[in-house]
Amino acid sequence: PRPGCFGNVDISLAPPVTMQQQGGGGFPPRGHGPDKKRLVMADARKSYTNNWTTPLTTAPCSNPTYCLYAACCAQCAAYSQRKEIMFNDLTNYTCCNGDMCISGRVGEKSCPEFCLCCEVCCCFPSAVATSRFMIQDEQRVENTKCDNFIIGFMLCLNQLACLFRIAAMISGNDEIQQIADILDCIADITYCTVCACMQTQQQQQLKQRDPNARPPSSNNPMAPPPPPRTNHPK
């Protein structure tokens, strides 16, 4: 691989990304709210051109053991994956990587392991999404249209099930109640399946990280990780 590459992932042409936009647990200063951060991150991601090493549709086949693990022990997989993303160093950990209003204010510095455990148990969807964004920002990876469709379908199905559940509660109609039950079941199965595939895809992508990559310096935790050092093949 060429210098500036994570395995077969080229980052040499990508713009620099701040710690607020990639792995390492940085969060914005007090003067910048989560909304502004999301806008900055969304704008930066428009320039990403690298693809996921493993498509979301084939992720279970690429690593069936991990996919089964992510399906049966989803929170454990999310916890270990976030630690790996952060180089097994939670010194700079903040809840959801600074995307929540409580990020940096719930004692992460004093007990990051416990706080991460609470995040993956109480805010599992946000935990998986945060890890995904951190990998994308570090390796400049963009979702495919198929990825976005699958994830969007999962979210819409959950919202539809919620609407029918509310309608059933208000109306007391047995038929609507049955439809709500069916939608709940389908939404739950879809949710568990897609989340397991997402975590598997993300785990496969982490294998492309340069083994020489290191976390930011403790003297400057807001800085992005240093670029990997690789040699030209002879």
Side-chain angles (χ1 to χ4, degrees), residues 54-189:
T54 304
L56 189 59
T57 52
T58 61
C61 297
S62 65
N63 194 341
T65 303
Y66 188 88
C67 189
L68 182 61
Y69 166 59
C72 298
C73 304
Q75 284 77 14
C76 295
Y79 181 93
S80 60
Q81 190 171 91
R82 180 69 63 80
K83 286 195 68 175
E84 184 174 352
I85 292 171
M86 298 184 68
F87 301 90
N88 294 311
D89 179 11
L90 298 180
T91 303
N92 298 316
Y93 165 79
T94 56
C95 179
C96 294
N97 201 33
D99 278 340
M100 304 292 286
C101 60
I102 62 172
S103 298
R105 306 177 188 180
V106 291
E108 295 100 314
K109 294 296 182 183
S110 59
C111 194
E113 291 84 2
F114 176 75
C115 290
L116 177 56
C117 183
C118 291
E119 178 188 328
V120 299
C121 291
C122 302
C123 308
F124 176 72
S126 296
V128 174
T130 297
S131 294
R132 188 175 187 84
F133 291 147
M134 292 170 75
I135 293 172
Q136 287 184 273
D137 292 334
E138 179 183 313
Q139 300 190 21
R140 281 52 163 185
V141 178
E142 65 173 353
N143 285 334
T144 64
K145 292 182 179 179
C146 184
D147 291 344
N148 289 331
F149 175 81
I150 293 173
I151 297 171
F153 175 77
M154 173 191 68
L155 297 175
C156 290
L157 193 56
N158 276 275
Q159 295 297 322
L160 183 62
C162 181
L163 291 175
F164 267 85
R165 180 62 64 191
I166 294 174
M169 293 174 60
I170 294 175
S171 66
N173 188 291
D174 290 339
E175 292 183 356
I176 298 180
Q177 181 70 41
Q178 291 178 356
I179 295 174
D181 291 339
I182 294 173
L183 285 174
D184 272 341
C185 183
I186 296 175
D188 288 343
I189 294 174

